[in-house]
Amino acid sequence: MNSDKVKCGLDKAAHRSLFKALGWTDDDLKKPVIGIVSAKSEIVPGHMHLDGIVNAVKEGVLSAGGKPVVIPAIGVCDGIAMGHEGMKYSLVTRELIADSVECMAKAHAFDGLVLVPSCDKIVPGMVMGALRVNIPSIAVCGGAMLNGVVGNKKISLSNMFEAAGAVTCGKITQNELNEYENNACPTCGSCSGMFTANSMACVLEAMGFALKGNGTVPAVYSERLRLANKTGVQIMKLLELNIHPSDILTKEAFENAITVDMALGCSTNTVLHLPAIANEAGIKIDLDVINQISERTPNLCKLAPAGEHFMSDLYFAGGVYAVMNRLKSAKLLHENLITITGKTIGENVENEAVKNDDVIRPLDNPYSKTGGLAILKGNLAPDGCVVKRSAVAPEMQVNKGIARVFDSEEEAISAILGGKIKGGDIVVIRYEGPKGGPGMREMLMPTASIAGMGLDKEVALLTDGRFSGATRGASIGHCSPEAQEGGPIALVKDGDIISIDMNKYKIELEVSSEELAKRKAQWKPKDRKLTGYLKRYANSVKSASTGAILD
C-alpha cells in the first residue's frame, strides 16, 4: 500500500504515534488510507449539506475495509461573488483546490481519494489534483438543487438575475421580485439548471469517473446518500483493480465528455475546465475538436437557462446514462473505455432507457442537429471564443451589430440598467480575461439584465471574460487573445461593426487590417496595480484558449 511509507517499519514509529494521537488503533494502521476531499462550508448552498454526503462515503469505506480521513477544500459561491470584485476570486480557486489535493494526498501518502465537490471550479479543481497524484480516485458530487416555483412557473437562480432587469424596465413589480427571491433557491445543492456545476457533475459521469446518477440525483434525495455510500465501497474496489485516474481520463474519454456535453447543452465553462483537466493528464484538447464533435452530435436536451426543463426533469427522464445510451446507438461514443465501475462505458450504459422523450429528445427529432456549444473564430478572436448556441434565439445566430465598448463589467452594467443599450448593439466587455480581470469574471449580471429587459433577441454580448452557465442569449465569451495581451478585442471602438455567424463558426470585426495595425501601434496594456494572489495568478495564467491553465 502507498500508505505503508508512513505506517510501516522501525523508522516510522514516530509517524505511528501521530496516527495514534488521532485515535487510530493498530488495526486501523493495517488498512488502506482513503482521503475524502470535502468542499463543505456554510457559505455555499451547494456545499452546506456535504457533511451528510461525506459521512455516507465514510460508512462505505469502513464497510469495505478502508480507513477514511476527511480533508478540506475551499469553494467560492459564484452567485454570491457575482457582479463585484469577488468574482475575480472564483476561477482562480480551481488551481488552489488542485494544489491542495495534490499537497494533502502526497504529504500523507493516501492510498485512494474520494472527491466530494459541488459547484463550478471545485469539481475540475479536485479532479486536476487527483490526476497529479494518480492514485485510485472517484468522485461523488453534492447533487443539484430542486427548482423553485412561483405560481405555475418553474424558476431558478438565473430567473433572479433576470428579474432585476425586469424590474428596471417595469415588467414586474418589487412585490413580484420578492416572491421570486423567496422561492428561486428552495433547497441545498448546486443551482437547479444545466449551469456549470451540474454540467461538470454530468461530465464526470460521462467520462466514467463517477457512478451512475452523479450528475442528476437531487441533493435532497436519500438516493444521493446511497450513491455516496456506494462510492465509498467502490473506491476500495478500485484499489483491488489498481485502476488510476490516468487509466480512465484518456483522450477518448474527453471526446466522450465533449459529445455528452453537446447533447446535454452544457455550460460554456466546460470549454475552460475540460482542457485544464486534460492538461493534467498530458492531453491537449484543441478547440477545433469541439466544433468537429458539435457537427456530428445532436442537441437532445434544453435545460434551464436554454429551456424549460431542470436537473430534476433530466433525473426522472433517465439521467446521463440514458442520454449516453441514445448516443451509443448512433455510434457517437467510444464504448470500450474502462471506468471506475471496472466495466466499460458501453457496459455501464447498456439498457439504460429514456423515460421522457420531451426532456431527452430522440435522435431523429433533436433540438438541433449540432451540439450545444460552438467555437467561433475570426479576426476578432483568432484563437477562438465560445457561445452556448443552444441558448441563443435562432434570429441571433447570424447577426451584425454596432459595438458598444466597455473596459469593465461594472461600466457595462451601468449602461445596460441606465437604458443606454438598444436593439442592434453588440456589448463588448474587455479587460476581464484571465490576466486582464484578472480571474476571468463571469458576466451573468449584464447578460441576465439584458434578458430580463427583453433584449436577448436583439442584443449580443462579447467578452474576454466568461459567462455563467445560467446565461442565455447571444453571449460570446473567452475571446482570445484577451485585451490585456493586446488581442484584437482591445482594438474595438464604439461604432465598429461586428458580424457573427454561429452556424459557420465565424466572428469578424469589420475594420480594415491597416486600421487595426494603426490602433495596435497606439495600444498599451492596462496597469492593474495588483497585489496578493491575483498578482501571482495574473503573472502565471495562460490564455482562455488553453483552459486558463497556469504556466
Side-chain angles (χ1 to χ4, degrees):
M1 291 186 292
N2 188 49
S3 60
D4 285 349
K5 67 180 69 170
V6 295
K7 297 187 302 183
C8 297
L10 182 64
D11 62 333
K12 298 303 186 296
H15 300 63
R16 290 191 293 274
S17 72
L18 291 168
F19 284 117
K20 289 180 178 180
L22 294 168
W24 290 30
T25 66
D26 287 328
D27 283 342
D28 289 332
L29 288 167
K30 297 174 184 177
K31 298 175 181 177
V33 180
I34 306 300
I36 303 174
V37 189
S38 172
K40 159 74 179 180
S41 78
E42 295 183 351
I43 190 62
V44 186
H47 298 176
M48 61 186 284
H49 65 302
L50 291 186
D51 49 357
I53 305 291
V54 166
N55 285 336
V57 172
K58 289 174 69 176
E59 289 175 5
V61 171
L62 288 167
S63 70
K67 178 62 179 175
V69 291
V70 181
I71 61 173
I74 64 170
V76 168
C77 177
D78 280 13
I80 294 173
M82 197 72 66
H84 61 99
E85 69 172 354
M87 181 48 75
K88 294 181 180 181
Y89 290 88
S90 172
L91 179 62
V92 303
T93 63
R94 186 185 69 187
E95 271 57 39
L96 287 175
I97 293 163
D99 290 347
S100 66
V101 171
E102 175 189 0
C103 290
M104 292 296 284
K106 286 283 192 181
H108 302 105
F110 293 153
D111 295 299
L113 286 171
V114 179
L115 312 177
V116 187
S118 185
C119 303
D120 305 21
K121 295 77 39 200
I122 298 88
V123 180
M126 286 191 185
V127 178
M128 289 162 68
L131 269 165
R132 294 178 192 175
V133 180
N134 204 33
I135 55 178
S137 303
I138 187 172
V140 56
C141 296
M145 182 184 289
L146 296 180
N147 61 269
V149 178
V150 170
N152 294 321
K153 182 180 180 181
K154 294 180 178 180
I155 63 170
S156 69
L157 182 67
S158 63
N159 298 96
M160 284 309 309
F161 281 100
E162 293 181 12
V167 171
T168 299
C169 65
K171 286 192 165 188
I172 65 172
T173 66
Q174 184 64 47
N175 286 338
E176 289 173 308
L177 176 65
N178 291 342
E179 186 178 9
Y180 271 61
E181 185 178 321
N182 290 327
N183 291 282
C185 300
T187 70
C188 61
S190 49
C191 297
S192 57
M194 187 56 81
F195 310 152
T196 307
N198 294 323
S199 295
M200 290 307 302
C202 290
V203 160
L204 291 192
E205 196 175 333
M207 289 196 289
F209 200 73
L211 293 175
K212 174 187 173 182
N214 182 69
T216 57
V217 175
V220 294
Y221 281 21
S222 295
E223 184 180 348
R224 177 64 59 174
L225 297 176
R226 298 196 297 272
L227 176 63
N229 186 289
K230 291 177 183 176
T231 300
V233 172
Q234 193 62 33
I235 186 61
M236 300 305 294
K237 293 181 180 177
L238 285 174
L239 263 65
E240 293 176 19
L241 296 169
N242 199 31
I243 296 175
H244 299 76
S246 59
D247 299 320
I248 297 169
L249 300 176
T250 62
K251 180 175 180 291
E252 291 77 16
F254 284 101
E255 290 177 359
N256 279 350
I258 295 169
T259 300
V260 175
D261 185 322
M262 292 297 171
L264 290 173
C266 290
S267 164
T268 53
N269 281 316
T270 59
V271 177
L272 277 179
H273 297 321
L274 285 173
I277 297 170
N279 178 67
E280 299 293 348
I283 298 166
K284 178 177 172 54
I285 294 181
D286 191 300
L287 293 186
D288 291 335
V289 170
I290 294 173
N291 284 343
Q292 293 166 13
I293 293 176
S294 179
E295 279 295 307
R296 63 176 182 255
T297 307
N299 178 215
L300 303 180
C301 303
K302 273 205 176 184
L303 278 68
E308 300 301 317
H309 298 136
F310 291 83
M311 293 305 296
S312 57
D313 297 311
L314 181 59
Y315 164 73
F316 286 115
V320 175
Y321 271 22
V323 174
M324 293 178 71
N325 197 31
R326 190 156 271 183
L327 295 171
K328 175 189 168 189
S329 70
K331 307 295 184 185
L332 291 172
L333 294 178
H334 299 287
E335 298 180 30
N336 296 320
L337 308 181
I338 196 65
T339 71
I340 48 87
T341 65
K343 299 179 180 179
T344 65
I345 287 287
E347 290 171 331
N348 284 348
V349 305
E350 190 174 4
N351 300 321
E352 294 290 337
V354 172
K355 301 172 184 177
N356 187 333
D357 283 338
D358 290 332
V359 178
I360 305 172
R361 285 198 172 183
L363 293 166
D364 60 1
N365 183 35
Y367 284 101
S368 64
K369 293 182 179 179
T370 53
L373 301 181
I375 305 297
L376 313 182
K377 288 188 176 182
N379 71 341
L380 187 47
D383 294 337
C385 52
V386 61
V387 63
K388 190 170 184 175
R389 184 167 52 183
S390 60
V392 179
E395 57 266 41
M396 290 296 288
Q397 293 186 12
V398 179
N399 178 39
K400 184 179 289 191
I402 300 168
R404 297 294 310 279
V405 184
F406 305 94
D407 285 353
S408 71
E409 179 186 14
E410 288 84 355
E411 293 175 27
I413 292 172
S414 178
I416 292 165
L417 296 181
K420 296 179 181 179
I421 302 301
K422 309 297 181 185
D425 288 344
I426 295 181
V427 177
V428 178
I429 309 174
R430 62 191 180 191
Y431 295 101
E432 292 285 6
K435 287 184 180 294
M440 206 177 181
R441 288 195 286 181
E442 289 185 343
M443 304 290 162
L444 179 56
M445 287 192 70
T447 61
S449 297
I450 282 175
M453 295 167 74
L455 293 173
D456 55 299
K457 295 182 180 179
E458 301 176 57
V459 174
L461 293 96
L462 171 68
T463 182
D464 53 6
R466 60 196 181 102
F467 292 112
S468 166
T471 288
R472 64 185 176 97
S475 303
I476 304 164
H478 310 190
C479 189
S480 301
E482 63 174 289
Q484 188 68 11
E485 292 191 306
I489 191 172
L491 311 179
V492 183
K493 292 185 176 181
D494 273 339
D496 286 348
I497 302 299
I498 297 173
S499 61
I500 301 164
D501 191 332
M502 297 179 191
N503 299 319
K504 294 182 179 179
Y505 308 106
K506 291 286 187 181
I507 185 164
E508 296 286 337
L509 177 62
E510 295 190 358
V511 174
S512 70
S513 55
E514 293 80 10
E515 173 61 21
L516 288 177
K518 289 179 184 177
R519 295 182 188 181
K520 183 64 179 286
Q522 298 171 351
W523 172 83
K524 292 181 180 179
K526 287 189 176 294
D527 181 5
R528 290 302 197 189
K529 295 181 173 61
L530 301 173
T531 61
Y533 180 57
L534 289 184
K535 182 177 181 178
R536 299 199 304 274
Y537 182 86
N539 288 338
S540 300
V541 72
K542 298 178 73 173
S543 170
S545 62
T546 71
I549 60 175
L550 297 189
D551 189 351

